[in-house]
Amino acid sequence: MAEKIVVEFDQHSKEYQEHGMEIAAEIRTKCPVTWSENYGGYWLVTALDEAGAFYKRPDLFSAAKDIDDPESPFQGIQIPNSAPFVKAGFLEMDPPDQLEYRRILNSFLSPAAVVRWEPLVREFTQACLDDIIERGSGDFVEEVVNVVPAVLTLAMIGIPLADWDVYCDPIHANVYTPPDSPDRPRVDAASMEMVMNLMGAIAAARENPRPGMLKALIEAELHGESLDDTAIMLTLFLVTGGGFDTTTALTSSSWRWLAENPSERDRLTSGDASLWDTATEEFLRYFTPAQGDARTVTQDCEVAGYEFSQHDRVLISFAIPNRDPKYFEDPDTVKLDRFPNRHAAFGLGNHRCIGSNLARMQFKAIMQESLARIPDYAIDYDGLERYESIGVINGYKAMPFTFTTGAPQGPGLQATIERWQKILDDEAAASA
Ligand code: HEM
């Protein structure tokens, strides 16, 4: 039986933000599974073998925080809970119900299904760039990569595209605003507005269903019964939360890295198209937008030589195993052509990201359009702002940049929203 080794580790600390992977590498040499006394105490898993072994045993490592009351809407996949303290839909459920929810959404997120959305992603990226191109400066996070995933996700759900802003601000701000922040009341008010909008969208779709995930959820049955509004809302919370901020974090981190590595940027933009495939996986591995989630031990057990007690909390990192030297040669270096690259950035086991095909498509489309349109950009470091804690999402609040001005090639964001809304409305009318 492995000894319980106590380490000093806090995924929300400034040290983790700045030197997380060095700290983790040192911890890993002590033991792949260690114990941190922070936040009431939790196990920390830092090696890929153990992360895989634990994530693949939902019977022993539950995604529900409160294993005595897993139906409660107050759970928490993070340590400590991130606000707001509501359950992130089926991410915080265990099989078989969790798998039933995935079954409802799977057909919208298959490789074949996401292809139809690529023109929307490319057009909205161009529309965002059209709005800033004459200025010669902008904020890549605020004005490009916050916008495109939000509009796309609403289109796929079946919510009016013009509402993207109602969802965008609270979803990002909830990730980076701690419960004690002075900005919390504003973020809570914005979250409430989003909930009201979502409830309105559910009511409207019950009256007048249109193609998309929302209609599928309304028509679905679980244990022979329809889903109620709360179950649908929590599922859509998860889809929006899961889809927006992770994609924004991946694109913005990669955008900065490519600005700082111009020869690699040239190699990517002028090279073989297949380099985009390996580069996408490498950026996912290296930046790991979702850094890790927690599980709760369901019963006293021994797994992989470690002894766990019922109710123990376990933080199973994705980011740290993604630098595991056993699986990744020279793990702290970005190699655009790294292959094989069996990273854990989309998770491991039964909760593995259901949106991975969509994420990959979006990443490539946004980056390719942006790099082609403004190839000579530079980051403005004075305004660059990383999330205060990257323990949940390794993202940026702001990423100002400058570039050579140009002429708009299209009508900009507002008109593009109207154009695509018309396309979706016509499709809905045709399918009614
Ligand atoms: C770069 C982008 C993305 C990354 C890095 C990412 C990462 C992850 C990870 C690590 C998990 C597993 C969490 C766990 O096991 O605790 C997950 C689950 C999930 N992701 Fe993603 N994700 C991304 C994009 C998306 C997109 C675009 C969607 C939109 C549909 C999405 C929807 C979800 C959902 C619904 C789950 C829960 C799956 C389940 O519990 O069965 N994700 N994601």
Side-chain angles (χ1 to χ4, degrees), residues 90-91 98 102 242-243 246 293 295 318 345-347 351 353-354 359:
F90 58 93
L91 177 61
Q98 173 246 346
R102 286 179 74 104
T246 47
D293 279 337
R295 298 293 191 258
F318 301 122
F346 285 125
H351 286 278
C353 181
I354 193 175

Side-chain angles (χ1 to χ4, degrees), residues 55 63 77 88 90-93 98-99 102 105 109 152-153 156 213 235 238-248 250 284 288-290 292-295 318 344-348 350-356 358-360 362-363:
Y55 271 124
I77 199 83
F90 58 93
L91 177 61
E92 299 187 38
M93 293 180 195
Q98 173 246 346
L99 298 176
R102 286 179 74 104
L105 298 184
L109 297 161
L152 168 70
T153 313
M156 294 181 76
M213 293 185 195
T235 306
L238 170 63
V239 171
T240 47
F244 287 23
D245 210 50
T246 47
T247 312
T248 304
L250 178 66
L284 278 159
T288 313
D293 279 337
R295 298 293 191 258
F318 301 122
F346 285 125
L348 302 154
N350 56 306
H351 286 278
R352 194 178 178 284
C353 181
I354 193 175
S356 60
L358 189 65
R360 289 182 171 114
Q362 279 192 89
F363 173 75

Side-chain angles (χ1 to χ4, degrees), residues 23 61 73-74 112 116 124-125 127 131 143 193 202 204 210 227 229-230 245 251 292 395 415:
I23 296 167
F61 298 92
F74 303 102
R116 76 151 286 202
F124 272 96
T125 306
D131 281 352
E143 293 177 289
E193 193 191 338
I202 296 169
R210 42 189 302 140
L227 302 176
D229 284 3
T230 307
D245 210 50
T251 41

Side-chain angles (χ1 to χ4, degrees), residues 39-275:
Y39 310 117
Y42 59 94
W43 294 101
L44 168 69
V45 182
T46 52
L48 196 53
D49 286 336
E50 281 74 6
F54 299 168
Y55 271 124
K56 285 171 193 160
R57 289 297 306 268
D59 55 326
L60 297 177
F61 298 92
S62 170
K65 174 172 182 268
D66 187 353
I67 53 165
D68 301 319
D69 186 10
E71 300 301 319
S72 160
F74 303 102
Q75 300 285 340
I77 199 83
Q78 291 297 326
I79 299 174
N81 279 356
S82 46
F85 307 105
V86 291
K87 181 165 164 174
F90 58 93
L91 177 61
E92 299 187 38
M93 293 180 195
D94 296 320
D97 285 4
Q98 173 246 346
L99 298 176
E100 288 297 304
Y101 275 93
R102 286 179 74 104
R103 192 179 45 76
I104 301 167
L105 298 184
N106 263 335
S107 64
F108 295 93
L109 297 161
S110 68
V114 304
V115 170
R116 76 151 286 202
W117 297 105
E118 193 175 326
L120 179 148
V121 174
R122 291 190 184 272
E123 203 174 317
F124 272 96
T125 306
Q126 288 293 348
C128 292
L129 297 172
D130 277 326
D131 281 352
I132 59 173
I133 195 97
E134 288 173 298
R135 227 192 290 152
S137 66
D139 188 316
F140 193 65
V141 170
E142 276 279 313
E143 293 177 289
V144 185
V145 289
N146 269 356
V147 185
V148 182
V151 175
L152 168 70
T153 313
L154 294 201
M156 294 181 76
I157 292 174
I159 293 177
L161 304 188
D163 292 350
W164 71 271
D165 211 13
V166 176
Y167 291 78
C168 193
D169 171 45
I171 282 181
H172 293 291
N174 272 318
V175 175
Y176 61 72
T177 311
D180 56 356
S181 161
D183 202 29
R184 197 69 235 172
R186 187 197 67 78
V187 177
D188 288 343
S191 305
M192 190 45 74
E193 193 191 338
M194 177 178 82
V195 170
M196 298 312 287
N197 186 291
L198 205 42
M199 292 311 258
I202 296 169
R206 286 197 188 281
E207 283 292 305
N208 180 19
R210 42 189 302 140
M213 293 185 195
L214 180 45
K215 179 170 185 266
L217 287 162
I218 286 173
E219 289 171 355
E221 286 194 352
L222 192 67
H223 307 302
E225 287 188 21
S226 303
L227 302 176
D228 63 20
D229 284 3
T230 307
I232 294 176
M233 187 191 71
L234 293 177
T235 306
L236 295 179
F237 246 167
L238 170 63
V239 171
T240 47
F244 287 23
D245 210 50
T246 47
T247 312
T248 304
L250 178 66
T251 41
S252 50
S253 301
S254 308
W255 186 251
R256 176 180 174 182
W257 189 88
L258 289 168
E260 291 166 356
N261 295 274
S263 58
E264 291 295 275
R265 181 163 101 202
D266 290 349
R267 190 173 152 222
L268 187 60
T269 50
S270 57
D272 194 297
S274 66
L275 189 58

